[in-house]
Amino acid sequence: MRRKCLFGPIWSRRLGSSLGINLTPYKTCSLDCVYCECGITTTLTVERQEYILPEEVIEHLETYRRSPRFREHPPSYITFAGFGEPTLNSGLRRIIRFLKESFPEQRIALITNGTLFGLYPEIVGEIRGVNVLIPSLDAGTPEAFVTVNRPHPVLRFDQYLQGLITLRQHFQGAIWLEVFIVEGINDRVEEIELLQKHIEQIAPHRVHINSVDRPPAENWVRSPALPKLQKIAHALRGEVITVPPQSQIFCPPRSV
Ligand code: SF4
């Protein structure tokens, strides 16, 4: 069965025009984040496999490359994102190699929850060729990790952190770390102070502070008000990339 694995190009607030690649069936992930905009995780797993075959993805990309849509409006980025965790797909290396050969003008971005780098260090080698890596870290403590991200039982917070630190030492491209703040859970001063220490160790090139601006998986999830997000961004030496609903005067366009 052919599945839709490309979407867009859409306008991304961080990347500009971006074609998305989805590498997992809905909703296959190593986490079940309370804030996920794709809904509840239906397959919680850390098992890597070719959930969507690389040949299938490459075939879709070939068709897109030959289309007038691509010739007339080539995107700036091709981005791995979608309905789950892209690094769960063990065909990632092959698809990245194809992109480097066939889309030399496009930059490659990978949006990941970052949890698998500690479990499978080989992924760092597989993603050589990615220009911008956008991993997540939402917690200062194992408790907040469990509450906000509801990880697969084999995932340990210390291993996850170490995976991100090692990644920074070996990955050649840019790392933009994303921190998603949930009101009343990971916005406490003690939590932010610990997050600050972890971020210092990871040393990403940028830190993006995000929060709820679309319907989350759990309807009790709220964003702190903008001034609080700005204060957190200041403490974490990052920038706020969202406008919480209570601060919005219009609906922002959908973006990754
Ligand atoms: S890691 Fe991403 S896709 Fe997975 S549950 Fe969290 S927000 Fe959703």
Side-chain angles (χ1 to χ4, degrees):
M1 185 183 71
R2 280 170 65 88
R3 280 170 291 202
K4 188 170 159 49
C5 46
L6 302 188
F7 55 95
I10 57 172
W11 183 258
S12 155
R13 57 196 155 194
R14 286 179 283 191
L15 302 171
S17 158
S18 168
L19 178 81
I21 304 182
N22 171 55
L23 293 183
T24 61
Y26 180 88
K27 196 7 248 302
T28 303
C29 195
S30 52
L31 301 179
D32 181 20
C33 303
V34 292
Y35 58 76
C36 185
E37 291 158 353
C38 299
I40 298 281
T41 296
T42 47
T43 306
L44 184 66
T45 184
V46 291
E47 190 188 335
R48 300 191 76 210
Q49 52 172 283
E50 291 182 347
Y51 289 94
I52 296 181
L53 294 174
E55 301 77 44
E56 198 178 324
V57 179
I58 288 169
E59 199 186 315
H60 281 275
L61 284 164
E62 287 279 22
T63 307
Y64 170 68
R65 189 166 57 126
R66 288 194 297 268
S67 69
R69 202 157 55 104
F70 174 65
R71 280 197 305 277
E72 286 159 22
H73 303 287
S76 313
Y77 274 87
I78 299 182
T79 304
F80 294 98
F83 306 130
E85 172 50 40
T87 59
L88 280 171
N89 193 312
S90 53
L92 199 53
R93 186 199 296 270
R94 250 183 86 190
I95 301 166
I96 292 172
R97 200 183 307 134
F98 172 80
L99 288 175
K100 291 309 260 188
E101 285 162 8
S102 305
F103 292 86
E105 303 299 321
Q106 277 62 46
R107 287 166 66 78
I108 304 173
L110 169 62
I111 299 179
T112 168
N113 64 32
T115 54
L116 298 188
F117 293 110
L119 268 189
Y120 305 104
E122 66 272 19
I123 298 177
V124 181
E126 293 175 21
I127 61 169
R128 201 172 293 132
V130 167
N131 302 97
V132 178
L133 186 66
I134 308 181
S136 294
L137 177 67
D138 306 325
T141 56
E143 293 74 24
F145 179 48
V146 168
T147 308
V148 175
N149 303 114
R150 301 189 296 199
H152 186 280
V154 306
L155 292 173
R156 292 198 337 260
F157 185 63
D158 57 341
Q159 192 178 31
Y160 167 33
L161 265 187
Q162 192 52 52
L164 291 175
I165 294 166
T166 310
L167 166 78
R168 175 65 171 93
Q169 289 157 1
H170 295 98
F171 180 70
Q172 303 293 316
I175 298 181
W176 301 350
L177 186 77
E178 181 170 318
V179 182
F180 198 104
I181 302 294
V182 177
E183 187 178 43
I185 309 273
N186 60 350
D187 60 346
R188 292 177 297 114
V189 174
E190 316 80 72
E191 195 69 33
I192 298 301
E193 280 172 1
L194 284 168
L195 253 171
Q196 197 178 10
K197 289 199 179 113
H198 302 324
I199 291 173
E200 265 168 32
Q201 283 185 291
I202 299 167
H205 298 93
R206 295 185 193 177
V207 177
H208 291 153
I209 309 302
N210 202 358
S211 195
V212 189
D213 67 359
R214 285 176 235 151
E218 301 294 350
N219 60 15
W220 52 264
V221 173
R222 297 277 178 276
S223 168
L226 190 55
K228 180 144 193 194
L229 287 179
Q230 284 165 335
K231 209 170 150 191
I232 292 170
H234 182 72
L236 301 181
R237 299 207 178 117
E239 58 183 302
V240 178
I241 58 155
T242 187
V243 182
Q246 64 268 41
S247 308
Q248 285 177 20
I249 49 173
F250 66 93
C251 269
R254 280 190 71 79
S255 57
V256 289

mmCIF file of all heavy atoms in Angstrom, residues 56-72:
data_model
loop_
_atom_site.group_PDB
_atom_site.id
_atom_site.type_symbol
_atom_site.label_atom_id
_atom_site.label_comp_id
_atom_site.label_asym_id
_atom_site.label_seq_id
_atom_site.Cartn_x
_atom_site.Cartn_y
_atom_site.Cartn_z
ATOM 1 N N GLU A 56 10.018 3.499 -0.981
ATOM 2 C CA GLU A 56 8.730 4.179 -1.145
ATOM 3 C C GLU A 56 8.914 5.698 -0.999
ATOM 4 O O GLU A 56 8.398 6.488 -1.794
ATOM 5 C CB GLU A 56 7.779 3.649 -0.055
ATOM 6 C CG GLU A 56 6.329 3.910 -0.319
ATOM 7 C CD GLU A 56 5.452 3.301 0.782
ATOM 8 O OE1 GLU A 56 5.778 2.218 1.309
ATOM 9 O OE2 GLU A 56 4.440 3.941 1.106
ATOM 10 N N VAL A 57 9.696 6.095 -0.006
ATOM 11 C CA VAL A 57 9.944 7.528 0.224
ATOM 12 C C VAL A 57 10.689 8.110 -0.979
ATOM 13 O O VAL A 57 10.343 9.185 -1.498
ATOM 14 C CB VAL A 57 10.771 7.729 1.524
ATOM 15 C CG1 VAL A 57 11.051 9.206 1.754
ATOM 16 C CG2 VAL A 57 10.064 7.118 2.724
ATOM 17 N N ILE A 58 11.695 7.361 -1.446
ATOM 18 C CA ILE A 58 12.513 7.841 -2.567
ATOM 19 C C ILE A 58 11.655 7.973 -3.829
ATOM 20 O O ILE A 58 11.782 8.944 -4.589
ATOM 21 C CB ILE A 58 13.736 6.909 -2.762
ATOM 22 C CG1 ILE A 58 14.725 7.154 -1.613
ATOM 23 C CG2 ILE A 58 14.406 7.127 -4.119
ATOM 24 C CD1 ILE A 58 15.861 6.161 -1.502
ATOM 25 N N GLU A 59 10.749 7.038 -4.028
ATOM 26 C CA GLU A 59 9.851 7.102 -5.195
ATOM 27 C C GLU A 59 8.998 8.376 -5.142
ATOM 28 O O GLU A 59 8.855 9.081 -6.135
ATOM 29 C CB GLU A 59 8.969 5.858 -5.174
ATOM 30 C CG GLU A 59 8.322 5.535 -6.494
ATOM 31 C CD GLU A 59 7.349 4.363 -6.329
ATOM 32 O OE1 GLU A 59 7.729 3.374 -5.675
ATOM 33 O OE2 GLU A 59 6.216 4.475 -6.842
ATOM 34 N N HIS A 60 8.462 8.686 -3.971
ATOM 35 C CA HIS A 60 7.663 9.909 -3.814
ATOM 36 C C HIS A 60 8.525 11.145 -4.073
ATOM 37 O O HIS A 60 8.079 12.104 -4.702
ATOM 38 C CB HIS A 60 7.087 9.985 -2.394
ATOM 39 C CG HIS A 60 5.877 9.114 -2.185
ATOM 40 N ND1 HIS A 60 4.610 9.534 -2.502
ATOM 41 C CD2 HIS A 60 5.752 7.864 -1.688
ATOM 42 C CE1 HIS A 60 3.748 8.560 -2.196
ATOM 43 N NE2 HIS A 60 4.420 7.541 -1.708
ATOM 44 N N LEU A 61 9.768 11.099 -3.586
ATOM 45 C CA LEU A 61 10.655 12.263 -3.769
ATOM 46 C C LEU A 61 11.017 12.451 -5.241
ATOM 47 O O LEU A 61 11.094 13.576 -5.732
ATOM 48 C CB LEU A 61 11.921 12.087 -2.926
ATOM 49 C CG LEU A 61 11.749 12.342 -1.425
ATOM 50 C CD1 LEU A 61 12.924 11.760 -0.639
ATOM 51 C CD2 LEU A 61 11.604 13.836 -1.126
ATOM 52 N N GLU A 62 11.222 11.324 -5.963
ATOM 53 C CA GLU A 62 11.518 11.392 -7.406
ATOM 54 C C GLU A 62 10.355 12.060 -8.143
ATOM 55 O O GLU A 62 10.558 12.918 -8.998
ATOM 56 C CB GLU A 62 11.719 9.978 -7.974
ATOM 57 C CG GLU A 62 13.002 9.291 -7.588
ATOM 58 C CD GLU A 62 14.191 9.739 -8.443
ATOM 59 O OE1 GLU A 62 14.120 10.834 -9.023
ATOM 60 O OE2 GLU A 62 15.176 8.990 -8.461
ATOM 61 N N THR A 63 9.133 11.630 -7.791
ATOM 62 C CA THR A 63 7.940 12.189 -8.452
ATOM 63 C C THR A 63 7.846 13.689 -8.155
ATOM 64 O O THR A 63 7.586 14.496 -9.052
ATOM 65 C CB THR A 63 6.665 11.466 -7.936
ATOM 66 O OG1 THR A 63 6.854 10.074 -8.101
ATOM 67 C CG2 THR A 63 5.424 11.921 -8.674
ATOM 68 N N TYR A 64 8.097 14.046 -6.920
ATOM 69 C CA TYR A 64 8.027 15.462 -6.538
ATOM 70 C C TYR A 64 9.090 16.270 -7.297
ATOM 71 O O TYR A 64 8.823 17.363 -7.792
ATOM 72 C CB TYR A 64 8.229 15.584 -5.022
ATOM 73 C CG TYR A 64 8.422 16.986 -4.546
ATOM 74 C CD1 TYR A 64 7.386 17.924 -4.596
ATOM 75 C CD2 TYR A 64 9.658 17.404 -4.048
ATOM 76 C CE1 TYR A 64 7.580 19.224 -4.174
ATOM 77 C CE2 TYR A 64 9.850 18.698 -3.628
ATOM 78 C CZ TYR A 64 8.817 19.604 -3.693
ATOM 79 O OH TYR A 64 9.015 20.895 -3.281
ATOM 80 N N ARG A 65 10.311 15.715 -7.426
ATOM 81 C CA ARG A 65 11.411 16.431 -8.084
ATOM 82 C C ARG A 65 11.101 16.717 -9.553
ATOM 83 O O ARG A 65 11.531 17.719 -10.118
ATOM 84 C CB ARG A 65 12.699 15.609 -7.975
ATOM 85 C CG ARG A 65 13.934 16.360 -8.424
ATOM 86 C CD ARG A 65 15.160 15.643 -7.978
ATOM 87 N NE ARG A 65 15.179 14.272 -8.493
ATOM 88 C CZ ARG A 65 16.178 13.762 -9.189
ATOM 89 N NH1 ARG A 65 17.231 14.495 -9.465
ATOM 90 N NH2 ARG A 65 16.137 12.510 -9.595
ATOM 91 N N ARG A 66 10.326 15.818 -10.177
ATOM 92 C CA ARG A 66 9.997 16.001 -11.603
ATOM 93 C C ARG A 66 8.782 16.899 -11.798
ATOM 94 O O ARG A 66 8.420 17.228 -12.910
ATOM 95 C CB ARG A 66 9.724 14.631 -12.251
ATOM 96 C CG ARG A 66 10.987 13.792 -12.444
ATOM 97 C CD ARG A 66 10.715 12.632 -13.375
ATOM 98 N NE ARG A 66 9.733 11.715 -12.823
ATOM 99 C CZ ARG A 66 10.011 10.642 -12.084
ATOM 100 N NH1 ARG A 66 11.280 10.338 -11.846
ATOM 101 N NH2 ARG A 66 9.073 9.865 -11.606
ATOM 102 N N SER A 67 8.137 17.310 -10.704
ATOM 103 C CA SER A 67 6.870 18.046 -10.821
ATOM 104 C C SER A 67 7.096 19.535 -11.054
ATOM 105 O O SER A 67 8.101 20.105 -10.612
ATOM 106 C CB SER A 67 6.034 17.859 -9.543
ATOM 107 O OG SER A 67 6.658 18.543 -8.473
ATOM 108 N N PRO A 68 6.139 20.213 -11.756
ATOM 109 C CA PRO A 68 6.236 21.665 -11.936
ATOM 110 C C PRO A 68 6.243 22.382 -10.581
ATOM 111 O O PRO A 68 6.874 23.425 -10.431
ATOM 112 C CB PRO A 68 4.966 22.020 -12.728
ATOM 113 C CG PRO A 68 4.402 20.727 -13.196
ATOM 114 C CD PRO A 68 4.982 19.621 -12.411
ATOM 115 N N ARG A 69 5.553 21.792 -9.609
ATOM 116 C CA ARG A 69 5.482 22.371 -8.262
ATOM 117 C C ARG A 69 6.901 22.598 -7.709
ATOM 118 O O ARG A 69 7.208 23.632 -7.135
ATOM 119 C CB ARG A 69 4.733 21.378 -7.356
ATOM 120 C CG ARG A 69 4.101 21.952 -6.129
ATOM 121 C CD ARG A 69 2.970 21.053 -5.671
ATOM 122 N NE ARG A 69 3.376 19.681 -5.448
ATOM 123 C CZ ARG A 69 3.567 19.130 -4.255
ATOM 124 N NH1 ARG A 69 3.384 19.842 -3.171
ATOM 125 N NH2 ARG A 69 3.912 17.871 -4.134
ATOM 126 N N PHE A 70 7.766 21.615 -7.903
ATOM 127 C CA PHE A 70 9.137 21.738 -7.399
ATOM 128 C C PHE A 70 9.935 22.752 -8.231
ATOM 129 O O PHE A 70 10.627 23.604 -7.687
ATOM 130 C CB PHE A 70 9.827 20.376 -7.405
ATOM 131 C CG PHE A 70 11.288 20.466 -7.038
ATOM 132 C CD1 PHE A 70 11.675 20.879 -5.762
ATOM 133 C CD2 PHE A 70 12.276 20.173 -7.962
ATOM 134 C CE1 PHE A 70 13.020 20.988 -5.419
ATOM 135 C CE2 PHE A 70 13.620 20.276 -7.624
ATOM 136 C CZ PHE A 70 13.990 20.678 -6.358
ATOM 137 N N ARG A 71 9.788 22.652 -9.570
ATOM 138 C CA ARG A 71 10.565 23.551 -10.434
ATOM 139 C C ARG A 71 10.195 24.997 -10.188
ATOM 140 O O ARG A 71 11.035 25.883 -10.136
ATOM 141 C CB ARG A 71 10.322 23.197 -11.903
ATOM 142 C CG ARG A 71 11.133 22.012 -12.389
ATOM 143 C CD ARG A 71 11.169 21.957 -13.908
ATOM 144 N NE ARG A 71 9.828 21.944 -14.496
ATOM 145 C CZ ARG A 71 9.087 20.841 -14.621
ATOM 146 N NH1 ARG A 71 9.550 19.689 -14.189
ATOM 147 N NH2 ARG A 71 7.891 20.901 -15.186
ATOM 148 N N GLU A 72 8.896 25.255 -10.001
ATOM 149 C CA GLU A 72 8.435 26.647 -9.867
ATOM 150 C C GLU A 72 8.654 27.206 -8.464
ATOM 151 O O GLU A 72 8.936 28.388 -8.292
ATOM 152 C CB GLU A 72 6.952 26.734 -10.255
ATOM 153 C CG GLU A 72 6.769 26.613 -11.769
ATOM 154 C CD GLU A 72 5.366 26.188 -12.156
ATOM 155 O OE1 GLU A 72 4.443 26.389 -11.347
ATOM 156 O OE2 GLU A 72 5.196 25.651 -13.270
#
